[in-house]
Amino acid sequence: MHELSIATAIIERADELARADGTDAVSAVTVRVGELAGVVPDALSFAFEVARDGTALAAARLVVEPVPAHAYCGACAQEFPVGMPPFFWCPHCDRPSTDLRSGRELEITGIE
């Protein structure tokens, strides 16, 4: 379960940022997780709860903001949802796309 290593990295980074800001306690961490990032949000939340014990984030909650996958079709200049499993064929002009615009994010966007 690689979500545990991701949760540990989130906790370490959030702790660093909080300490740099002069705070020693964090109540929440918000992360954006793309649909194609290869991360299961429920598993990440569970791993976060396990990994936070004994840290400055022991009482913190993890807020996961899902990011849907979208591709862009250069042939017809339309953006479309890719879905899961991903399908990179434009529903507007029936051509393939290689331009993924969103869905691979895995980033901390907020610390409270």
Side-chain angles (χ1 to χ4, degrees):
M1 176 164 96
H2 72 283
E3 282 83 358
L4 183 56
S5 62
I6 293 168
T8 301
I10 290 169
I11 290 165
E12 289 172 357
R13 185 65 180 142
D15 185 48
E16 288 172 14
L17 293 170
R19 289 182 193 279
D21 197 36
T23 305
D24 59 353
V26 174
S27 61
V29 178
T30 303
V31 295
R32 295 179 75 222
V33 178
E35 185 175 21
L36 303 178
V39 175
V40 178
D42 288 342
L44 181 60
S45 294
F46 176 77
F48 184 86
E49 289 179 16
V50 170
R52 71 184 181 184
D53 286 344
T55 71
L57 284 84
R61 61 187 169 83
L62 182 68
V63 178
V64 177
E65 295 177 347
V67 179
H70 283 92
Y72 177 79
C73 177
C76 69
Q78 296 288 320
E79 190 169 294
F80 60 93
V82 173
M84 201 56 189
F87 188 70
F88 293 94
W89 207 264
C90 179
H92 305 286
C93 71
D94 202 30
R95 292 186 177 183
S97 172
T98 59
D99 188 358
L100 184 64
R101 294 284 171 101
S102 67
R104 296 179 68 191
E105 297 83 356
L106 181 55
E107 58 190 358
I108 297 172
T109 58
I111 300 171
E112 296 175 23

